[in-house]
Amino acid sequence: MAAPPRPTPSPPAPRRPRRPDTSDVLQQIMAITDQSLDEAQAVSIHGIQDEDPPDAQLMRLDNMLLAEGVCRPEKRGRRGVVAMAGTATPGGCPNDNSIEHSDYRAKLSQIRQIYHSELEKYEQACREFTTHVTNLLQEQSKMRPVSPKEIECMVSAIHGKFSAIQMQLKQSTCEAVMTLRSRLLDARRKRRNFSKQATEVLNEYFYSHLNNPYPSEEAKEELARKGSITVSQVSNWFGNKRIRYKKNMGKFQEEATIYMGKTAVDTTEVGVPGNHASCLPTPSSGSSGPFPLPSAGDAFLTLRTLASLQPPPGGGCLQSQAQGSWQGATPPPAAASPAGDPGSINSSMSN
DNA sequence: GTCAATGATTGATG
DNA sequence: CATCAATCATTGAC
């Protein structure tokens, strides 16, 4: 209340990438043509160079455009893009993202097209202007002596100007790509609800391992496969679930009843049902009896209801499971305890 | 538009 | 590095 707990991260300021326009280019060219020859001469190569050494910057831009797959027109820019797309997704590329990625690729391709057509225009303009100026100088040579050196100087001055413009183009392109990337690829806060199948699988695991809802890496992979999500999504889900369940168990009672009943039925009726129940590895330390049964924590109060709703039909350890100490003050359960296994449904029944 | 649910991110911790 | 806790940001129901 006193102070906002977290300063809102810089708002995603809707920056509009400034794309070089043809009119922009024309203006630049006009600016050049407006210059008297003397002025143009003054801005000779070295003049430009020590004004702002473009080498390093230009190289950076070039590298970046190359990396982004903007350079090398249609020459299989795919590789670069795909590789980059991969890096933007921590822990693998979920099928889910492919939509955004194709969107991204489409837009990137647009940018690439614009970039190349602009570049082409610049180059052509540069060539034309150069010939124009040389012609002019040749005309002048009829009136006065024009040294080849003077021509050379002029030409390089023009090229210098045009490469400065090109640099702007590259810069703008880089900016555009970055913006696009942060919008589409980094999809950080993009959220899509999991499929029913996924939540089902996750909830089943969660409630059947309520005494130790910490799936091992293997279990996470299995869950991820079954729910068609990524392992990190599974981890996120369990992280959220544990906390939210702990915070407000009352709210989850119904859900718990459903899923615990489900798994109980599954396991009691068929033992190992036709499915691959045994494929889901028990939690990292699960099978070896992870939990010292608590002396009835607060979990008991809410879960008592469960117990009455769900009379243990032989797999009656549901409720004791649910009192697992992970809800308590000492969360990290991974430290295997010597205590006997209260009996997770999976391990006890499927064994 | 409001609001709860929920997936993702972040910073702290061991 | 996995997890917790707080928070953000989107979704979907109303």
Side-chain angles (χ1 to χ4, degrees), chain A residues 38-171:
Chain A
D38 292 337
E39 273 175 314
Q41 259 173 328
V43 192
S44 57
I45 331 159
H46 48 272
I48 289 172
Q49 269 178 346
D50 55 25
E51 196 183 358
D52 62 316
D55 288 0
Q57 201 183 349
L58 191 61
M59 230 157 66
R60 262 210 318 275
L61 290 173
D62 278 340
N63 284 340
M64 200 183 142
L65 290 174
L66 207 66
E68 302 289 353
V70 174
C71 281
R72 299 271 171 268
E74 293 303 317
K75 224 179 179 180
R76 223 150 276 172
R78 204 176 60 104
R79 261 290 128 217
V81 176
V82 168
M84 186 178 62
T87 58
T89 315
C93 189
N95 45 5
D96 175 49
N97 273 359
S98 53
I99 302 160
E100 272 97 26
H101 287 178
S102 63
D103 200 9
Y104 170 81
R105 275 195 291 269
K107 296 247 165 67
L108 186 72
S109 162
Q110 271 181 19
I111 292 180
R112 193 165 44 213
Q113 268 184 357
I114 292 169
Y115 170 77
H116 284 292
S117 80
E118 290 293 318
L119 202 62
E120 182 56 37
K121 274 188 223 160
Y122 290 3
E123 274 164 3
Q124 198 183 336
C126 182
R127 277 195 300 270
E128 279 170 12
F129 192 64
T130 307
T131 43
H132 174 70
V133 168
T134 26
N135 285 344
L136 228 59
L137 282 175
Q138 268 163 8
E139 282 293 315
Q140 276 200 354
S141 69
K142 290 172 188 166
M143 332 268 218
R144 66 173 178 92
V146 176
S147 68
K149 200 170 181 184
E150 191 181 338
I151 300 176
E152 199 183 311
C153 216
M154 279 304 303
V155 168
S156 54
I158 293 166
H159 284 184
K161 266 292 176 193
F162 270 94
S163 74
I165 298 172
Q166 274 189 18
M167 183 124 101
Q168 272 191 0
L169 170 69
K170 287 181 181 180
Q171 208 155 8

Side-chain angles (χ1 to χ4, degrees), chain A residues 29-339:
Chain A
I29 296 173
M30 292 310 283
I32 295 174
T33 41
D34 278 351
Q35 285 178 332
S36 73
L37 290 183
D38 292 337
E39 273 175 314
Q41 259 173 328
V43 192
S44 57
I45 331 159
H46 48 272
I48 289 172
Q49 269 178 346
D50 55 25
E51 196 183 358
D52 62 316
D55 288 0
Q57 201 183 349
L58 191 61
M59 230 157 66
R60 262 210 318 275
L61 290 173
D62 278 340
N63 284 340
M64 200 183 142
L65 290 174
L66 207 66
E68 302 289 353
V70 174
C71 281
R72 299 271 171 268
E74 293 303 317
K75 224 179 179 180
R76 223 150 276 172
R78 204 176 60 104
R79 261 290 128 217
V81 176
V82 168
M84 186 178 62
T87 58
T89 315
C93 189
N95 45 5
D96 175 49
N97 273 359
S98 53
I99 302 160
E100 272 97 26
H101 287 178
S102 63
D103 200 9
Y104 170 81
R105 275 195 291 269
K107 296 247 165 67
L108 186 72
S109 162
Q110 271 181 19
I111 292 180
R112 193 165 44 213
Q113 268 184 357
I114 292 169
Y115 170 77
H116 284 292
S117 80
E118 290 293 318
L119 202 62
E120 182 56 37
K121 274 188 223 160
Y122 290 3
E123 274 164 3
Q124 198 183 336
C126 182
R127 277 195 300 270
E128 279 170 12
F129 192 64
T130 307
T131 43
H132 174 70
V133 168
T134 26
N135 285 344
L136 228 59
L137 282 175
Q138 268 163 8
E139 282 293 315
Q140 276 200 354
S141 69
K142 290 172 188 166
M143 332 268 218
R144 66 173 178 92
V146 176
S147 68
K149 200 170 181 184
E150 191 181 338
I151 300 176
E152 199 183 311
C153 216
M154 279 304 303
V155 168
S156 54
I158 293 166
H159 284 184
K161 266 292 176 193
F162 270 94
S163 74
I165 298 172
Q166 274 189 18
M167 183 124 101
Q168 272 191 0
L169 170 69
K170 287 181 181 180
Q171 208 155 8
S172 305
T173 309
C174 276
E175 247 179 61
V177 172
M178 291 313 253
T179 311
L180 178 69
R181 210 172 149 171
S182 68
R183 273 214 200 135
L184 291 184
L185 220 51
D186 293 354
R188 285 146 64 90
R189 293 276 176 197
K190 263 263 166 81
R191 187 173 77 73
R192 210 160 294 215
N193 287 344
F194 290 165
S195 64
K196 195 153 183 280
Q197 156 85 0
T199 35
E200 198 108 318
V201 168
L202 293 166
N203 272 315
E204 264 172 35
Y205 188 97
F206 182 80
Y207 287 110
S208 66
H209 294 81
L210 210 44
N211 67 325
N212 186 27
Y214 297 85
S216 63
E217 205 50 40
E218 275 180 316
K220 282 181 192 168
E221 279 166 22
E222 181 74 23
L223 289 166
R225 248 198 310 281
K226 288 191 169 181
S228 306
I229 54 177
T230 65
V231 171
S232 54
Q233 282 178 307
V234 172
S235 298
N236 282 341
W237 189 91
F238 272 88
N240 284 325
K241 190 73 177 182
R242 280 189 298 261
I243 287 184
R244 285 163 185 168
Y245 179 83
K246 188 163 76 176
K247 265 187 176 171
N248 192 355
M249 284 189 285
K251 203 164 61 183
F252 290 97
Q253 264 185 52
E254 202 183 331
E255 195 178 72
T257 318
I258 293 168
Y259 282 102
M260 288 170 103
K262 219 178 209 174
T263 44
V265 166
D266 275 359
T267 46
T268 49
E269 268 186 359
V270 206
V272 179
N275 70 19
H276 312 68
S278 52
C279 289
L280 274 192
T282 44
S284 20
S285 50
S287 52
S288 52
F291 279 126
L293 279 181
S295 47
D298 24 11
F300 185 70
L301 280 176
T302 43
L303 285 156
R304 214 174 30 179
T305 333
L306 257 183
S308 57
L309 285 170
Q310 183 79 45
C317 20
L318 288 179
Q319 141 205 28
S320 50
Q321 278 180 348
Q323 297 173 32
S325 63
W326 66 272
Q327 296 105 328
T330 49
S337 90

